[in-house]
Amino acid sequence: MSFAKINDDILRTLRPPGAVYYVGLALTLAAFAVGTLAFLHQARTGMGVAGYEHPILWGIYITNFVFWVGIAHSGTLISAVLFLFRARWRTAVARAAEAMTVFAVLTAALFPIIHIGRPWFFYWLIPYPNERQLWVNFRSPLVWDLFAISTYLTVSVMFLYLGLMPDIAAARDKITDWRRHVYRVLSLGWLGTDRQWRHYMALYGFFAALATPLVVSVHSVVSWDFAMSILPGWHSTIFAPYFVAGAIFSGIAMVITLLVPMRRIFKLEHYITVHHFENLAKLMLMTSLIVSYAYAVEFFIAWYSGSPFEQGTFYDRMFGQYWAYSWMMFTCNVFVPLLLFSKAIRTNLRTLFIIAIFVNIGMWLERYVIIVSSLSHDFDPANWSGVYSPTWVEVAITIGAFGLFFTLFLLFVKNFPAISITEMKETMGRSAQADPASSWPDPV
Amino acid sequence: MKQGTSSLIEVVERRTFLKMLGSTGPAAAIAACSPVPPEKIIPFLIPPEDVIPGVATWYASVCGECPAGCGTLVRTREGRAVKVEGNPEHPVNRGGLCIRGQSSLQGLYNPDRIAAPQRRRVTDEATGRSVLEPVAWADAQQTLIDRLQTLRDAGRGDRIVIITPALTGTMATLVAAWANAVGGARWIRYEPFAHEPIRRANARVFGRADLPHYDFTRADVLISFGADFLETFDSPVGYARDHAGQRRVRNGEKARFVQIEPRLSMTGASADVWHAVRPETEGLVAAAMVHTIVDEGRAQGVPDGVIEQIAALIDGASPDQVAGTTGLDADTIRELARAFSDTTRGPGRTLAVGGGVGVSGSNATAAQVAIALLNYVAGNSGATVDFSSASTLSSAATYADMRDLADQMRSGEVELAIVHNVNPVFTMPHAADFGGALAEVPFVASLSSLPDETTAQADLLLPTHTALESWGDSNPRHGVLGLMQPVMQPVFDTQHAGDLLLEVGRALGDDAAAGLPRRGFYRFLRDEWERMQPTPAPGPESAEPEAPDFEAYWADALRRGGTTVPVDPVTVEVIQELFETDLVGDLAPTAAGPGYTLVAYPSLHFFDGRGANRPWLQEIPEPLLKTTWGTGIEMTPDTAQSIGADEGQLVAVASDHGQVDASVIINPHLADGVVAIAIGQGHTNFGRYATGRGVNPIALLDAEPETASGGVRWAGTEVTLTPRDLTRPIPRLQRTFDQEGRGLAQSVSLAALVAGEVHPEEQHFSLHADHDHPVHQWGMAIDLDACNGCNACVAACYAENNIPVVGADEMRRGRTLSWLRIERFVEPGEPGTEHAGPDNRFLPMLCQHCDHAPCETVCPVFATYHTDEGLNAQIYNRCVGTRYCSNNCPYKVRRFNWFTPEFDAPLQLQLNPDVTGRSAGVMEKCSFCVQRIQDGKEVARDENRPVRDGDVSPACAQSCPAQAIVFGDLNDPASRVSQLSDDARGYHVLHDLNTRPAVTYLKKVTRNP
Amino acid sequence: MSDRVEILGIYDRGTQAAVCAGAILDQGLGDVVTYSPVPDHALDHALGVRVSPIRLFVLIGGLLGCATGFIFPIYTVLDWPLITGGKPLISIPPFVVIAFELMILFAALGGMAGFLLLSRLPRVRGRPAPDRRFTNNMTGVSVTCAPEQVAEVRACLERTGASEIREEAA
């Protein structure tokens, strides 16, 4: 396949969109608006409008936070880790995954602010010299969170942008409408000279090398929000690896959820092939097995610990007032993914898509169960509460978050190459090239 | 007398003394009670010298919430009463104060108080519709004067009725004189809980219709037949104090306490053994015990001959004969009788108390006779049952009197009724229809502070001061005289009832005025006390008795909040008339019908209903069931199942006399076939907090009084239950009472304690060196053996720390803001043993101020951290509300402000200026009353001395009637709290989390093997 | 030297461009700059592979971040000492997390800065690429040489199969 064809095919996706696109965009924007209004209502009236029930003081907002941070992980995994592992097939999906990462982190970062009692003071968590002469408590996992999430956001934005730079230049030289001015600025005047390429490749390698430990640390830190507390059901050493695996699990599910329709709509069948999806499916299956193992270990340890508190919590999780959520979670995360062992199923995009949806739901429920059921049933039976039932405000804000995420993603795919032109030219353009050798240098 | 003198001569604590100094005698006090309409309370243009902005002024006074007449110390700031505490020098309560007394502030500042006089005007002659309209004081008084005048001139003064509470002291004298002056008006002293059966029974047995004073301090064995003496019975705060003192483990022994009643009361919850018996059979148990004692010749101090007569009287009530009826097996009864009449201890070392509604069925008097006899044969009458300092309730009217009055009203014999601070329309069985009767009276004037069902029917409202705004005195029992002084300007345009009556009376003409004190009520009060002042003993040098200095005496009485006068000891003997009665016959309970038996019991929070309009009393969870903002019908799980109802489901409760809809509350601790409803809710017209809330059992009761005594038959009404398909659950703050073996509320058996088998030393490990507490390390010790769950500390905390109420809907989500809660846990008893009954534990849970506090590390903004005095500080204005601290608190004692709190005006006047208000979105929790710690330190500094043990006591510790809470400096090895922390019973809740709490709990001591 | 000439050869294959560039450098005919749509090893070899010094930027950034991550928290806890949870003021374990995150952050920022610096980006004004197709499918070799060598260069470009040759003054 010739460079020119790849160039045209992919840049074609930037052509002015049709009605369907605008309808979709309108829907997601509406959802976002609803969420915003709900949040303003909450900030005005007080957290009480949410359904919190003492002692369940963390609820859907933190669930959403962890969920979105989790989503954010596959992007980096695919573009960085698989890059280091030389997994060629990543090329087709890396760009979409990276974009998804950035938008997911942005969405996630909103939830701590939505969640706190005085959102207008959220910046007090940032250590800066202030009139209160008070720094932040670096022992608090929430401060670790702040550092981890902001680092992750910065790095993944730079990673995405670096990858985009040559493609934006390509768009600049191809697109004729008003956007070309934007591309000119964004491309930073990229030329593609040998010097630029050399540094570009080096940096890309370093980013991959830095993002890999980062992606592991970020979700470990998120898991420590829970593991560092003394609450039965949270206080567990397995949480870091367990959450990282879970994050990648849910992330890949989301990638599949996004790519299947995108591939259809943009007619990118040649670029994103079933082979790619099958690899994603395999990865999802593996992480699903890791997560299942973590579940098993949690319950085993609870039993083995002999601690009435641990045992009580986990018994309650299985058979208490939240049993339905727990079993739905097991179904979605443990049992349904087992279907992926069948090649027929994992290579059939329709079934794969459905399974991915299941996993998305299951992973959301996992966080919900961990947070809510543990809090509802802690040390002192006198505190055990009734069933926490979210109010319309929480539901609206949750929907709004999806609205924001999909709005950003829709805007992205119509204005930037959703598949890396450069890498496509390299991997698929080989046929048109005499020299089949990879041009990719050894990273680091 | 005994308690009286002892408490007065005991050394005055320094801190108390300072409080006393605050009240600067009459002069300032007069200024504080001038009947002129209240002007703006602060700021003062020319401040009275006893008001220093920022410095609290304390006034000694008397609590007006119930007839017990506890002494209070009221803290005022800038002319506002902000807290009511028990007066440590008052012989009745000696420092403690119950939840209702604490809440009297919310009566004072109640937003629904009658703000000004009102008069009824008929708006529509045809329908007779009418409205109450504001009217000037002069006109209002004139209206009453004219009415009185016409009746008096027509010589129909005897058709005037004035209904008041069981007034005592000067006010009583005044009303008596007034009634006389207006032409022989009838005066009825009405108390809903007047204990008629006890009075009648004592008349039958000893010839004295008295409600005696029970001396718990000498009762080695206490058997209570339904008497809720820790809640509402007679003088609960004083009794709680005496009881707790007597129940302390001394040289290896602990007084025994057995409760026999159809429904487990809070009092019964702290008994060693609780026996559930069918209602109306308690008397039979008592009789059977007498039977055993006489039979086995264990009677003590009973003259020869009388024994035989008693034996004859109770013939046919042997344990075996009553066992079937009572549901209590014969051996248990015998065992009880033997323990009760332990001859080795000698006479007068035990006590049987019968009372409350447990013993108020159709055979109440007979039951009380049996109980009186039980005390008599054990030699208690005149000893632990003390007639010398009998309650002045003895002379209150009976329910029967009120019923007759109602009949007279219907027959038009009453032409003018004056109602003063009583609410018979609500508190009398509705079948008696007092409301209907009152409607027949041509003119009804109400001299009340708060609008209620009775004032709603009045033609003229003359709002009066509350106790906290009034001069007055109280004489709750012989020998005790409390002095009540106003602590602040009247909040509303009200008048002192005494002054009002005087002015009205004098206006009736000179002859009427002649019969009345010449000057205002305050003057009259002083004169009365001057008359009472004992002439001091002749001085050593001169045989002449020196002239008594009244001013000094008066100032001293004001400072102390009253005085005591000697009473002559009274010995009692049974009278022969007793033996002409058929006791055993009278004891027979009414035959049980097909329905369920209703027990209407007085509520710790609402008493007879007068507490229902206090938001604190509504919000603070009921001690046993932890229900808030409402009452329902309590039934056992079996009963609920048999009628097919679940918790929270509405049930139509119908008796022959009325019907109500009540929500089901599951309560396993009821006798078979018994359902129970708390008295005090179900108001139809009692302000925003009470109206339309809960259910009123009085609507179901029989109008017929108990024949012998004329008291209300609170227990024994037959009801039928029909579930409705509606659910109206009552918010309950605690969902399970089972601690699932988690050892939160621990106990140790007396045997083990004596044998020294105590909990092994708690091990503490830490990677880090402990941080040091250079000056103080504040700590607390809570004795679970003394705590009886009475919620007084909770109310004190609400008052001291400006804790807002959140209301029923928020309560459903458990969003109370209380910094202190009393957890109740029930351990199953051992079947087969006498301890088959439930083993109740009350666990006051507040911030443990852990040295290694999990909440502190997780806060990103340092909103909570540890002070070097060992306090876990919460800095509200740093808090951003991540709520992580609460998640990480194993005790879950932190509370989050979901909304910005609101205080209905003028309740905000009660707020304590020493404590920051909290806004929406911040976390709050117990601060160990850091403002009181600060206060104590400042006082010490001003006196150039270190802080002494006892200088600082948080609101909860101060208020505890049972003195279960001790606070102090753990750095001081001599302090009480340090010693208690090393007590053999000491343990820390969840200590294995290594949080190193500053609160040490002392295990409950059980008799279980 | 104002009189130097720039000759641009446009190839549709990176390999030919590489051959050309290599030849021109070997003969020292002039300075060579190549333009390509993708990174091309062949070109790199032709122009002589040099390791990018970006690694230094990354290293310095990382070290800086790590140091900051420890020093900053320690400074703050000493600036206003507050006891929490009975832990020592300077409790290293939690600070490790901060240090790690800052190390990654600063390293990445350092790398990015290095990249922009070294590749002369952003070029706000500067001339655009000599041909739009370089970001699409064509590879370009731009030789800057003295006028007398123009002929040789052209010959070299033609020999290696440039599909188009342009000449313009530098």
Side-chain angles (χ1 to χ4, degrees), chain B residues 653-665:
Chain B
V653 188
S655 75
D656 301 344
H657 319 289
Q659 167 168 357
V660 295
D661 282 358
S663 306
V664 172
I665 299 173

Side-chain angles (χ1 to χ4, degrees), chain A residues 45 47-48 50-54 57-58 115 117-118 124 137 140 225 229-230 378-384 386, chain B residues 735 742 744 813-815 821 823 857-860 877 879-884 887-888 892 894-895 898-899:
Chain A
T45 328
M47 284 308 289
Y52 294 100
E53 177 153 349
H54 192 91
L57 267 54
W58 284 6
H115 159 84
R118 302 205 285 176
W124 283 3
N137 179 4
S140 166
D225 285 349
S229 84
I230 63 175
D378 73 334
F379 294 95
D380 181 350
N383 293 313
W384 293 349
Chain B
R735 286 158 203 270
R742 297 183 173 204
L744 298 156
R813 293 189 186 274
R815 292 177 179 176
R821 64 173 182 269
E823 297 176 357
T857 29
V858 297
C859 177
N877 50 9
C879 179
V880 297
T882 68
R883 308 195 284 285
Y884 199 169
N887 290 353
N888 213 28
K892 289 289 177 288
R894 296 178 148 263
R895 293 289 165 180
W898 299 102
F899 299 102

